[in-house]
Amino acid sequence: PRASFNLVYSILNQRIPHRLRPDILTAEQVRPAAELSFMFEAIWEKVSENYRKRGRYFQKDLIDFLLAVGWYSVFATVTLDGSECIAEVWNPATVYPRWEEALVECTHIFSPGAAQCRRLSERNGWGLKNVNDNATIYDYWWIERQTTSLSVHNSIAVGNQQVKSDTIETRLKRIPIFIAPCGGLPDTGEMAGDKWKAEIGQSFLATNENVLKTFNKWWTFMIQLLRDTAQPRTFERTASTKQIVQPETWYRRGAHYKIGSQDEIGFINPPAVPVELRSMQLDLEAMRDRGGPASSSFGSITNRMTSYAMSQVAATTNQLARDFHLGIIDLFSDIDNFF
């Protein structure tokens, strides 16, 4: 699974151009569009630079979470003075959205530790005291709708202490959290019941989940057979009541045993390994290749392959990454429009 993860990550980790489609631009719009594209390139380069200062990579964090859980979750906003655009990847497992016609509520619940809580308190003027390592931050956003307008609210609590009261973010027209599932199965509760939320936004490994579990059991069983062959069971035939072979000395290097003329030490030969185990391995490998990157994608080719077969393998791998690739494009498009 880790090799497949790295392969799909390398496919998705490409430079994404932030520009308008040239076929929809008039001659007068080409120059302003180029300037706009340059501006977005500068914005995202600054975001990546800020991430590198913290020893992290924005696009890597985004793709890793997307492949691992099948969701993306990014907080994006512009500073109050308008001098900088901010984008922060959040762990989707800590973000709880609710949609209607749009995202109407979203809560980010996380425990950054005492040191980070103190830094956040100093930066935002929360005035926290006696913060412990188990402190949990609740960052709650919601939309209040009026007849002709809407307002975005935000409130923050640390543990049971509210550090930011209900505040209307007048400069925002939407919740500045971009979250959505990618991949998975379509359902809203009618098919899978209460488990439908687990069916949307699945990892790319979800297709092969049961196959990989079965494959692990198969390998465990095969290794047990190999161990039983290398360390066979023994028997003793002797008239004495004293045991000749002691388990703690049997595998000792240079072990020596003295037996009588009527004594005998031997091995209990296990039955032969059934040939069906090998065919089962091939079947599992075929199912694994159908649900994920094929072995030939890693260069594991035992026989010659035609160019057509190789193109099919490449197309299958790209198909596996397509939903996640489209999710990344949609995410960057939404954030660019928001900025």
Side-chain angles (χ1 to χ4, degrees):
R2 185 60 181 269
S4 300
F5 186 94
N6 293 338
L7 177 64
V8 179
Y9 168 81
S10 66
I11 295 175
L12 296 176
N13 189 22
Q14 307 293 330
R15 183 178 178 274
I16 298 178
H18 301 267
R19 61 171 180 262
L20 296 174
R21 289 170 48 193
D23 58 324
I24 64 174
L25 300 176
T26 63
E28 294 78 14
Q29 294 173 331
V30 172
R31 183 179 180 86
E35 294 176 354
L36 185 64
S37 176
F38 178 79
M39 180 193 73
F40 281 120
E41 294 289 347
I43 287 174
W44 286 107
E45 179 59 35
K46 183 63 176 178
V47 170
S48 299
E49 181 182 345
N50 291 336
Y51 256 72
R52 291 195 300 272
K53 289 179 181 178
R54 292 180 286 164
R56 297 168 56 192
Y57 293 90
F58 177 86
Q59 195 153 316
K60 175 174 173 54
D61 286 359
L62 172 64
I63 297 174
D64 284 351
F65 280 127
L66 187 60
L67 292 179
V69 301
W71 287 71
Y72 63 74
S73 177
V74 177
F75 173 82
T77 188
V78 181
T79 57
L80 293 175
D81 57 4
S83 61
E84 187 176 357
C85 295
I86 299 172
E88 180 79 18
V89 177
W90 286 350
N91 184 347
T94 64
V95 183
Y96 303 87
R98 185 173 75 86
W99 289 277
E100 290 179 0
E101 68 278 6
L103 183 64
V104 295
E105 283 185 273
C106 194
T107 305
H108 184 211
I109 304 175
F110 62 108
S111 301
Q116 183 66 13
C117 280
R118 284 191 288 269
R119 284 193 291 268
L120 289 172
S121 175
E122 294 173 1
R123 184 195 310 167
N124 299 292
W126 292 346
L128 286 176
K129 297 180 181 180
N130 302 322
V131 181
N132 57 49
D133 288 331
N134 298 322
T136 301
I137 297 179
Y138 302 86
D139 186 5
Y140 179 48
W141 294 80
W142 75 99
I143 288 180
E144 181 183 6
R145 293 191 176 276
Q146 290 83 28
T147 304
T148 58
S149 62
L150 61 83
S151 56
V152 179
H153 294 249
N154 177 229
S155 178
I156 300 176
V158 179
N160 57 3
Q161 179 181 356
Q162 187 177 27
V163 296
K164 181 181 179 181
S165 59
D166 180 9
T167 304
I168 299 178
E169 304 291 343
T170 56
R171 62 196 183 97
L172 298 177
K173 298 300 180 183
R174 58 155 293 168
I175 295 175
I177 300 173
F178 300 81
I179 179 171
C182 294
L185 300 175
D187 192 6
T188 54
E190 291 80 6
M191 293 185 291
D194 295 337
K195 298 181 180 179
W196 71 273
K197 294 181 181 179
E199 302 293 338
I200 63 172
Q202 291 180 328
S203 167
F204 83 103
L205 292 173
T207 306
N208 273 344
E209 180 181 1
N210 292 328
V211 175
L212 293 172
K213 289 180 178 178
T214 303
F215 211 2
N216 288 339
K217 294 177 181 178
W218 181 90
W219 272 112
T220 300
F221 182 68
M222 288 298 294
I223 292 175
Q224 289 174 344
L225 288 179
L226 179 61
R227 184 186 63 186
D228 291 341
T229 302
Q231 299 177 339
R233 298 174 178 85
T234 61
F235 71 89
E236 298 178 5
R237 184 178 291 113
T238 177
S240 174
T241 58
K242 184 178 180 182
Q243 184 176 347
I244 301 174
V245 177
Q246 302 297 328
E248 61 271 14
T249 62
W250 177 251
Y251 290 103
R252 182 179 298 173
R253 188 178 299 277
H256 180 77
Y257 302 98
K258 182 179 180 181
I259 62 177
S261 57
Q262 302 298 322
D263 297 339
E264 181 182 357
I265 299 175
F267 298 103
I268 301 176
N269 294 323
V273 177
V275 295
E276 288 77 11
L277 285 177
R278 175 59 178 171
S279 62
M280 181 179 180
Q281 177 189 358
L282 297 176
D283 292 339
L284 288 173
E285 290 178 351
M287 288 188 286
R288 182 193 61 191
D289 288 351
R290 284 194 294 269
S295 301
S296 53
S297 301
F298 304 94
S300 303
I301 302 175
T302 56
N303 299 315
R304 293 184 178 181
M305 293 184 65
T306 63
S307 57
Y308 174 76
M310 285 301 300
S311 66
Q312 291 296 104
V313 170
T316 301
T317 305
N318 289 332
Q319 179 185 7
L320 179 67
R322 178 172 175 78
D323 286 343
F324 304 100
H325 174 66
L326 293 177
I328 293 173
I329 292 177
D330 291 341
L331 169 65
F332 280 110
S333 298
D334 291 341
I335 296 179
D336 286 349
N337 293 331
F338 176 74
F339 285 160

